[in-house]
Amino acid sequence: MKIISADVMQVPSTDPSFSGNSKGSTEDWSPIVLRLNTDTGISGFGEAGLAYGKGWRGGLGMLQDFCHVIIGENPLNIEKIWHQLQTTTYWGLAGGVAVNAAISAIDIAL
């Protein structure tokens, strides 16, 4: 089994109850959801936990970049993928909130 594609989505919502200041999710509450797709038709879902405030953009970009790294990998090799993202990418080596949120979303989807 191989990962053949990844869909990284920012979930919009105009429902004011999703925001701390009643403006909806356009800026203040914007969940980032990942769907990893395999060549066998199995998909896995994960979320980058940066939905509040302006940080979601960093998580979205980091997740998109990391997904390019894991296309073609076996999704059952979770530790290998995690190690690859953590130790062979510039930002993985540096760490931080956006990096860890992106790796977490991938880990959950796997």
Side-chain angles (χ1 to χ4, degrees), residues 56-106:
W56 66 268
R57 287 182 182 87
L60 179 75
M62 190 60 57
L63 195 48
Q64 288 170 331
D65 287 348
F66 278 169
C67 284
H68 288 288
V69 174
I70 65 170
I71 299 297
E73 294 290 334
N74 181 341
L76 300 177
N77 291 336
I78 297 170
E79 291 84 6
K80 177 187 177 220
I81 291 170
W82 193 93
H83 187 261
Q84 181 181 10
L85 294 172
Q86 191 75 31
T87 63
T88 66
T89 64
Y90 175 80
W91 289 109
L93 288 168
V97 176
V99 170
N100 290 328
I103 291 174
S104 176
I106 291 169

